[in-house]
Structure formats: C-alpha cells, structure tokens
Amino acid sequence: LAKTTQPISMDSYEGQEVNITCSHNNIATNDYITWYQQFPSQGPRFIIQGYKTKVTNEVASLFIPADRKSSTLSLPRVSLSDTAVYYCLVGGSSASKIIFGSGTRLSIRP
Amino acid sequence: NAGVTQTPKFQVLKTGQSMTLQCAQDMNHEYMSWYRQDPGMGLRLIHYSVGAGITDQGEVPNGYNVSRSTTEDFPLRLLSAAPSQTSVYFCASSREYGARDTQYFGPGTRLTVL
C-alpha cells in the first residue's frame, strides 16, 4: 500500500465546495485511489474510487492528474451532514494489509 | 443481507480479564480484518484474514489473537485486557483482499478497560 499524506483537518461552510488533496508520490502502476468517509461513532464507508483522470458519482468527484502522484476529493455544496473524517487509500489488488492512516477531519459550519 | 455485524456494542472489562469480540458477515467475503480506533485518531489494523484458516498480523497485533475457522466469522480475542486497549473496535470485510476492493465495516464495539 502506497504511503499517503493528507491534511489533518479542514473547515468550511455550508454551500461551499470542499477539496481535499491526498499526496501519494510512490503510487504503483496497478494502484487505485479510494476514498472513505467516517461519521462519528460509525465505521468508514466507501465514497469513490478512481485510477486516472476524473471520476464522478452522486456523492463526490475524484480528480487524478496524469502523473497520479496526488488526487483531490471534491465535495460539491457541502452541508452540515458532510462533517466527517475522510481517508485516502492507495493500493492495488495485491495489497493484503489495508492501512487507513489518520485521515482528514472535515468540519462544516452553518 | 445484514452485512457486517459485531457484538457486543459496548463492553466494560477489568484489567486482566479476557474476552472475545464477535464479527460476522453474510456476504461470502474472503477478506476480513480488525481495526482499533482511539479517540480522535485514525484506524489501526490489528489482524486480518485472506480466507478461512489464514490469518496474519497488522500494525498493532500485540495483546490480540484471531482465528478464522469459517468464511463468515472472524472473532478477536483479548488475552489479558489492559487499559491501553480501551478503544472502539471495527471489523471489516471485502470480497477479496486488496485495496481495490470495497471494505464494508461493522458498527463497532466500544470497549473500556478499567
């Protein structure tokens, strides 16, 4: 599993777009980038996954530049309910240890 | 499907006691794992299993044992509880091992060791 670096915390306001960047300089060719969201007192849940360029679903977008050494999770028009910890994972099908790291604690204010 | 279930939800132990945290999944997933999460911290991997009969250590295995006799169940045993093991414990499963597969988490067990 590639080592990842993401901000410890971020603050934003309702209605804003929030972008959380994850650095993964030693990403391997077969690695995918996956983001999870964890609400207080709950286990993490899958948000989005991508390999290159841009992926969008009903919850978020994931932007991956050509060199794939970083990725950005974009949450459009956040609400108070988006307050959570967001984890970036980078790895492929051969990674047997799934290491989550510390994540980014996102706080949304009214 | 119930998904990943964990019992108990809450547990208080005295130092030196032993107990087993239960985890079960009904999705026929091969990969299962245990994490602990201390207050305000991220998840740390304790043990994992890539299939029935196969287990291995994660980042923080000391003080914990696991076994995987069936595909569905992956219990975590605390051998002699210590206050440092006070934490929330999450069990997770995925169809196959690997970071590409989606991890499904249980609701967690909140453990306090006095």
Side-chain angles (χ1 to χ4, degrees):
Chain A
L1 218 61
K3 179 174 169 56
T4 61
T5 302
Q6 49 183 127
I8 294 174
S9 63
M10 294 181 65
D11 294 325
S12 188
Y13 293 90
E14 281 191 297
Q16 300 293 307
E17 178 184 74
V18 171
N19 296 311
I20 306 174
T21 297
C22 180
S23 297
H24 29 81
N25 291 322
N26 58 339
I27 187 170
T29 303
N30 296 328
D31 286 348
Y32 280 71
I33 300 155
T34 311
W35 285 80
Y36 286 80
Q37 175 189 55
Q38 184 182 24
F39 295 119
S41 302
Q42 294 184 26
R45 66 171 189 171
F46 172 91
I47 303 178
I48 197 166
Q49 183 182 76
Y51 183 80
K52 61 181 179 180
T53 63
K54 176 183 174 183
V55 179
T56 297
N57 61 23
E58 65 278 5
V59 177
S61 294
L62 179 60
F63 298 92
I64 305 168
D67 67 6
R68 303 200 327 124
K69 292 184 184 299
S70 67
S71 58
T72 299
L73 174 72
S74 181
L75 304 173
R77 297 181 298 281
V78 293
S79 64
L80 295 176
S81 63
D82 291 313
T83 294
V85 179
Y86 293 81
Y87 297 93
C88 166
L89 267 71
V90 175
S93 300
S94 61
S96 56
K97 289 186 181 182
I98 312 299
I99 307 296
F100 272 77
S102 300
T104 296
R105 189 171 299 273
L106 175 65
S107 297
I108 306 300
R109 306 176 191 277
Chain B
N1 285 352
V4 180
T5 57
Q6 293 184 235
T7 55
K9 285 186 168 52
F10 302 93
Q11 183 70 49
V12 179
L13 291 178
K14 294 181 179 178
T15 297
Q17 287 184 315
S18 63
M19 80 159 293
T20 299
L21 307 185
Q22 301 292 343
C23 174
Q25 52 88 11
D26 62 358
M27 298 174 281
N28 201 31
H29 284 175
E30 288 296 319
Y31 185 89
M32 296 186 75
S33 55
W34 277 101
Y35 294 86
R36 62 175 287 174
Q37 186 170 39
D38 299 335
M41 306 292 286
L43 297 156
R44 290 188 290 171
L45 180 65
I46 305 171
H47 284 286
Y48 65 96
S49 168
V50 299
I54 307 170
T55 64
D56 206 344
Q57 297 180 350
E59 303 173 274
V60 288
N62 292 342
Y64 307 95
N65 270 358
V66 292
S67 59
R68 184 97 179 269
S69 56
T70 67
T71 299
E72 295 78 19
D73 300 298
F74 191 43
L76 177 72
R77 296 182 188 84
L78 278 69
L79 308 173
S80 177
S84 60
Q85 293 179 305
T86 293
S87 190
V88 180
Y89 291 84
F90 290 103
C91 178
S93 75
S94 61
R95 185 174 50 90
E96 297 177 352
Y97 79 82
R100 186 177 174 184
D101 239 40
T102 299
Q103 301 294 313
Y104 294 87
F105 283 81
T109 294
R110 188 175 298 273
L111 175 68
T112 302
V113 183
L114 302 175

PDB file of all heavy atoms in Angstrom, chain B residues 74-96:
ATOM      1  N   PHE B  74     -15.065 -14.032  12.246  1.00  0.00           N
ATOM      2  CA  PHE B  74     -13.675 -13.636  12.492  1.00  0.00           C
ATOM      3  C   PHE B  74     -13.599 -13.008  13.880  1.00  0.00           C
ATOM      4  O   PHE B  74     -13.554 -11.792  14.042  1.00  0.00           O
ATOM      5  CB  PHE B  74     -13.226 -12.647  11.412  1.00  0.00           C
ATOM      6  CG  PHE B  74     -11.752 -12.357  11.405  1.00  0.00           C
ATOM      7  CD1 PHE B  74     -10.812 -13.359  11.561  1.00  0.00           C
ATOM      8  CD2 PHE B  74     -11.290 -11.053  11.205  1.00  0.00           C
ATOM      9  CE1 PHE B  74      -9.455 -13.091  11.532  1.00  0.00           C
ATOM     10  CE2 PHE B  74      -9.934 -10.774  11.168  1.00  0.00           C
ATOM     11  CZ  PHE B  74      -9.014 -11.794  11.334  1.00  0.00           C
ATOM     12  N   PRO B  75     -13.564 -13.823  14.933  1.00  0.00           N
ATOM     13  CA  PRO B  75     -13.535 -13.296  16.304  1.00  0.00           C
ATOM     14  C   PRO B  75     -12.169 -12.748  16.698  1.00  0.00           C
ATOM     15  O   PRO B  75     -11.135 -13.251  16.247  1.00  0.00           O
ATOM     16  CB  PRO B  75     -13.903 -14.516  17.148  1.00  0.00           C
ATOM     17  CG  PRO B  75     -13.465 -15.688  16.316  1.00  0.00           C
ATOM     18  CD  PRO B  75     -13.660 -15.289  14.896  1.00  0.00           C
ATOM     19  N   LEU B  76     -12.196 -11.736  17.540  1.00  0.00           N
ATOM     20  CA  LEU B  76     -10.974 -11.113  18.064  1.00  0.00           C
ATOM     21  C   LEU B  76     -10.932 -11.360  19.569  1.00  0.00           C
ATOM     22  O   LEU B  76     -11.851 -10.994  20.287  1.00  0.00           O
ATOM     23  CB  LEU B  76     -10.987  -9.609  17.799  1.00  0.00           C
ATOM     24  CG  LEU B  76      -9.804  -8.801  18.352  1.00  0.00           C
ATOM     25  CD1 LEU B  76      -8.538  -9.102  17.532  1.00  0.00           C
ATOM     26  CD2 LEU B  76     -10.102  -7.305  18.326  1.00  0.00           C
ATOM     27  N   ARG B  77      -9.844 -11.974  20.028  1.00  0.00           N
ATOM     28  CA  ARG B  77      -9.717 -12.306  21.448  1.00  0.00           C
ATOM     29  C   ARG B  77      -8.715 -11.385  22.126  1.00  0.00           C
ATOM     30  O   ARG B  77      -7.588 -11.229  21.640  1.00  0.00           O
ATOM     31  CB  ARG B  77      -9.278 -13.759  21.614  1.00  0.00           C
ATOM     32  CG  ARG B  77     -10.281 -14.757  21.092  1.00  0.00           C
ATOM     33  CD  ARG B  77      -9.835 -16.199  21.319  1.00  0.00           C
ATOM     34  NE  ARG B  77     -10.718 -17.125  20.638  1.00  0.00           N
ATOM     35  CZ  ARG B  77     -10.611 -17.456  19.358  1.00  0.00           C
ATOM     36  NH1 ARG B  77      -9.637 -16.931  18.629  1.00  0.00           N
ATOM     37  NH2 ARG B  77     -11.458 -18.287  18.808  1.00  0.00           N
ATOM     38  N   LEU B  78      -9.148 -10.820  23.244  1.00  0.00           N
ATOM     39  CA  LEU B  78      -8.229 -10.089  24.104  1.00  0.00           C
ATOM     40  C   LEU B  78      -7.784 -11.052  25.197  1.00  0.00           C
ATOM     41  O   LEU B  78      -8.601 -11.587  25.946  1.00  0.00           O
ATOM     42  CB  LEU B  78      -8.905  -8.871  24.732  1.00  0.00           C
ATOM     43  CG  LEU B  78      -8.998  -7.616  23.876  1.00  0.00           C
ATOM     44  CD1 LEU B  78      -9.952  -7.798  22.716  1.00  0.00           C
ATOM     45  CD2 LEU B  78      -9.396  -6.428  24.738  1.00  0.00           C
ATOM     46  N   LEU B  79      -6.500 -11.302  25.287  1.00  0.00           N
ATOM     47  CA  LEU B  79      -5.991 -12.354  26.146  1.00  0.00           C
ATOM     48  C   LEU B  79      -5.988 -11.935  27.619  1.00  0.00           C
ATOM     49  O   LEU B  79      -6.380 -12.694  28.494  1.00  0.00           O
ATOM     50  CB  LEU B  79      -4.581 -12.726  25.706  1.00  0.00           C
ATOM     51  CG  LEU B  79      -4.474 -13.038  24.201  1.00  0.00           C
ATOM     52  CD1 LEU B  79      -3.019 -13.234  23.803  1.00  0.00           C
ATOM     53  CD2 LEU B  79      -5.309 -14.251  23.842  1.00  0.00           C
ATOM     54  N   SER B  80      -5.531 -10.737  27.900  1.00  0.00           N
ATOM     55  CA  SER B  80      -5.464 -10.198  29.248  1.00  0.00           C
ATOM     56  C   SER B  80      -5.608  -8.680  29.117  1.00  0.00           C
ATOM     57  O   SER B  80      -4.641  -7.994  28.825  1.00  0.00           O
ATOM     58  CB  SER B  80      -4.137 -10.557  29.911  1.00  0.00           C
ATOM     59  OG  SER B  80      -4.045  -9.974  31.206  1.00  0.00           O
ATOM     60  N   ALA B  81      -6.840  -8.199  29.271  1.00  0.00           N
ATOM     61  CA  ALA B  81      -7.138  -6.802  28.949  1.00  0.00           C
ATOM     62  C   ALA B  81      -6.304  -5.815  29.763  1.00  0.00           C
ATOM     63  O   ALA B  81      -6.043  -6.019  30.957  1.00  0.00           O
ATOM     64  CB  ALA B  81      -8.619  -6.534  29.165  1.00  0.00           C
ATOM     65  N   ALA B  82      -5.903  -4.744  29.082  1.00  0.00           N
ATOM     66  CA  ALA B  82      -5.137  -3.664  29.715  1.00  0.00           C
ATOM     67  C   ALA B  82      -5.824  -2.337  29.405  1.00  0.00           C
ATOM     68  O   ALA B  82      -6.497  -2.218  28.359  1.00  0.00           O
ATOM     69  CB  ALA B  82      -3.711  -3.655  29.176  1.00  0.00           C
ATOM     70  N   PRO B  83      -5.679  -1.321  30.259  1.00  0.00           N
ATOM     71  CA  PRO B  83      -6.304  -0.019  29.994  1.00  0.00           C
ATOM     72  C   PRO B  83      -5.930   0.560  28.629  1.00  0.00           C
ATOM     73  O   PRO B  83      -6.724   1.277  28.017  1.00  0.00           O
ATOM     74  CB  PRO B  83      -5.784   0.854  31.138  1.00  0.00           C
ATOM     75  CG  PRO B  83      -5.560  -0.114  32.248  1.00  0.00           C
ATOM     76  CD  PRO B  83      -5.051  -1.365  31.597  1.00  0.00           C
ATOM     77  N   SER B  84      -4.740   0.238  28.128  1.00  0.00           N
ATOM     78  CA  SER B  84      -4.309   0.735  26.818  1.00  0.00           C
ATOM     79  C   SER B  84      -5.135   0.148  25.666  1.00  0.00           C
ATOM     80  O   SER B  84      -5.049   0.630  24.528  1.00  0.00           O
ATOM     81  CB  SER B  84      -2.831   0.400  26.573  1.00  0.00           C
ATOM     82  OG  SER B  84      -2.635  -1.002  26.611  1.00  0.00           O
ATOM     83  N   GLN B  85      -5.926  -0.873  25.957  1.00  0.00           N
ATOM     84  CA  GLN B  85      -6.783  -1.465  24.933  1.00  0.00           C
ATOM     85  C   GLN B  85      -8.184  -0.849  24.913  1.00  0.00           C
ATOM     86  O   GLN B  85      -9.045  -1.276  24.145  1.00  0.00           O
ATOM     87  CB  GLN B  85      -6.880  -2.975  25.125  1.00  0.00           C
ATOM     88  CG  GLN B  85      -5.555  -3.680  24.862  1.00  0.00           C
ATOM     89  CD  GLN B  85      -5.622  -5.172  25.078  1.00  0.00           C
ATOM     90  OE1 GLN B  85      -6.005  -5.640  26.157  1.00  0.00           O
ATOM     91  NE2 GLN B  85      -5.236  -5.928  24.064  1.00  0.00           N
ATOM     92  N   THR B  86      -8.399   0.153  25.739  1.00  0.00           N
ATOM     93  CA  THR B  86      -9.642   0.916  25.674  1.00  0.00           C
ATOM     94  C   THR B  86      -9.708   1.609  24.325  1.00  0.00           C
ATOM     95  O   THR B  86      -8.815   2.389  23.969  1.00  0.00           O
ATOM     96  CB  THR B  86      -9.696   1.953  26.802  1.00  0.00           C
ATOM     97  OG1 THR B  86      -9.791   1.275  28.054  1.00  0.00           O
ATOM     98  CG2 THR B  86     -10.896   2.884  26.635  1.00  0.00           C
ATOM     99  N   SER B  87     -10.755   1.306  23.561  1.00  0.00           N
ATOM    100  CA  SER B  87     -10.828   1.796  22.188  1.00  0.00           C
ATOM    101  C   SER B  87     -12.164   1.392  21.582  1.00  0.00           C
ATOM    102  O   SER B  87     -12.957   0.688  22.210  1.00  0.00           O
ATOM    103  CB  SER B  87      -9.676   1.199  21.372  1.00  0.00           C
ATOM    104  OG  SER B  87      -9.569   1.802  20.106  1.00  0.00           O
ATOM    105  N   VAL B  88     -12.396   1.837  20.363  1.00  0.00           N
ATOM    106  CA  VAL B  88     -13.518   1.331  19.575  1.00  0.00           C
ATOM    107  C   VAL B  88     -12.941   0.370  18.544  1.00  0.00           C
ATOM    108  O   VAL B  88     -11.976   0.704  17.846  1.00  0.00           O
ATOM    109  CB  VAL B  88     -14.293   2.456  18.873  1.00  0.00           C
ATOM    110  CG1 VAL B  88     -15.446   1.867  18.058  1.00  0.00           C
ATOM    111  CG2 VAL B  88     -14.824   3.461  19.895  1.00  0.00           C
ATOM    112  N   TYR B  89     -13.535  -0.802  18.462  1.00  0.00           N
ATOM    113  CA  TYR B  89     -13.033  -1.843  17.569  1.00  0.00           C
ATOM    114  C   TYR B  89     -13.996  -2.030  16.409  1.00  0.00           C
ATOM    115  O   TYR B  89     -15.198  -2.224  16.591  1.00  0.00           O
ATOM    116  CB  TYR B  89     -12.872  -3.159  18.335  1.00  0.00           C
ATOM    117  CG  TYR B  89     -11.746  -3.092  19.335  1.00  0.00           C
ATOM    118  CD1 TYR B  89     -11.944  -2.549  20.601  1.00  0.00           C
ATOM    119  CD2 TYR B  89     -10.474  -3.547  19.006  1.00  0.00           C
ATOM    120  CE1 TYR B  89     -10.911  -2.454  21.518  1.00  0.00           C
ATOM    121  CE2 TYR B  89      -9.425  -3.454  19.920  1.00  0.00           C
ATOM    122  CZ  TYR B  89      -9.662  -2.903  21.169  1.00  0.00           C
ATOM    123  OH  TYR B  89      -8.634  -2.803  22.065  1.00  0.00           O
ATOM    124  N   PHE B  90     -13.436  -1.965  15.202  1.00  0.00           N
ATOM    125  CA  PHE B  90     -14.230  -2.150  13.983  1.00  0.00           C
ATOM    126  C   PHE B  90     -13.757  -3.385  13.231  1.00  0.00           C
ATOM    127  O   PHE B  90     -12.565  -3.607  13.074  1.00  0.00           O
ATOM    128  CB  PHE B  90     -14.097  -0.943  13.055  1.00  0.00           C
ATOM    129  CG  PHE B  90     -14.766   0.305  13.560  1.00  0.00           C
ATOM    130  CD1 PHE B  90     -14.023   1.328  14.121  1.00  0.00           C
ATOM    131  CD2 PHE B  90     -16.141   0.453  13.456  1.00  0.00           C
ATOM    132  CE1 PHE B  90     -14.633   2.479  14.579  1.00  0.00           C
ATOM    133  CE2 PHE B  90     -16.759   1.604  13.907  1.00  0.00           C
ATOM    134  CZ  PHE B  90     -16.005   2.613  14.481  1.00  0.00           C
ATOM    135  N   CYS B  91     -14.716  -4.145  12.774  1.00  0.00           N
ATOM    136  CA  CYS B  91     -14.453  -5.275  11.908  1.00  0.00           C
ATOM    137  C   CYS B  91     -14.842  -4.875  10.486  1.00  0.00           C
ATOM    138  O   CYS B  91     -15.806  -4.114  10.297  1.00  0.00           O
ATOM    139  CB  CYS B  91     -15.287  -6.471  12.374  1.00  0.00           C
ATOM    140  SG  CYS B  91     -15.124  -7.953  11.371  1.00  0.00           S
ATOM    141  N   ALA B  92     -14.112  -5.365   9.508  1.00  0.00           N
ATOM    142  CA  ALA B  92     -14.406  -5.036   8.116  1.00  0.00           C
ATOM    143  C   ALA B  92     -14.265  -6.287   7.256  1.00  0.00           C
ATOM    144  O   ALA B  92     -13.560  -7.236   7.625  1.00  0.00           O
ATOM    145  CB  ALA B  92     -13.476  -3.942   7.609  1.00  0.00           C
ATOM    146  N   SER B  93     -14.925  -6.277   6.115  1.00  0.00           N
ATOM    147  CA  SER B  93     -14.782  -7.382   5.179  1.00  0.00           C
ATOM    148  C   SER B  93     -14.831  -6.857   3.754  1.00  0.00           C
ATOM    149  O   SER B  93     -15.368  -5.770   3.488  1.00  0.00           O
ATOM    150  CB  SER B  93     -15.872  -8.432   5.387  1.00  0.00           C
ATOM    151  OG  SER B  93     -17.126  -7.984   4.885  1.00  0.00           O
ATOM    152  N   SER B  94     -14.248  -7.638   2.829  1.00  0.00           N
ATOM    153  CA  SER B  94     -14.344  -7.322   1.412  1.00  0.00           C
ATOM    154  C   SER B  94     -14.353  -8.628   0.634  1.00  0.00           C
ATOM    155  O   SER B  94     -13.919  -9.664   1.130  1.00  0.00           O
ATOM    156  CB  SER B  94     -13.195  -6.420   0.953  1.00  0.00           C
ATOM    157  OG  SER B  94     -11.954  -7.050   1.137  1.00  0.00           O
ATOM    158  N   ARG B  95     -14.833  -8.534  -0.593  1.00  0.00           N
ATOM    159  CA  ARG B  95     -14.990  -9.728  -1.420  1.00  0.00           C
ATOM    160  C   ARG B  95     -13.659 -10.466  -1.574  1.00  0.00           C
ATOM    161  O   ARG B  95     -13.570 -11.687  -1.436  1.00  0.00           O
ATOM    162  CB  ARG B  95     -15.571  -9.333  -2.767  1.00  0.00           C
ATOM    163  CG  ARG B  95     -15.917 -10.473  -3.701  1.00  0.00           C
ATOM    164  CD  ARG B  95     -16.622  -9.915  -4.939  1.00  0.00           C
ATOM    165  NE  ARG B  95     -15.884  -8.811  -5.534  1.00  0.00           N
ATOM    166  CZ  ARG B  95     -14.961  -8.968  -6.467  1.00  0.00           C
ATOM    167  NH1 ARG B  95     -14.634 -10.172  -6.901  1.00  0.00           N
ATOM    168  NH2 ARG B  95     -14.345  -7.913  -6.967  1.00  0.00           N
ATOM    169  N   GLU B  96     -12.617  -9.712  -1.881  1.00  0.00           N
ATOM    170  CA  GLU B  96     -11.281 -10.274  -1.994  1.00  0.00           C
ATOM    171  C   GLU B  96     -10.314  -9.366  -1.254  1.00  0.00           C
ATOM    172  O   GLU B  96     -10.657  -8.253  -0.888  1.00  0.00           O
ATOM    173  CB  GLU B  96     -10.858 -10.388  -3.462  1.00  0.00           C
ATOM    174  CG  GLU B  96     -11.726 -11.322  -4.267  1.00  0.00           C
ATOM    175  CD  GLU B  96     -11.306 -11.338  -5.740  1.00  0.00           C
ATOM    176  OE1 GLU B  96     -10.462 -10.514  -6.133  1.00  0.00           O
ATOM    177  OE2 GLU B  96     -11.830 -12.184  -6.477  1.00  0.00           O
TER     178      GLU B  96
END
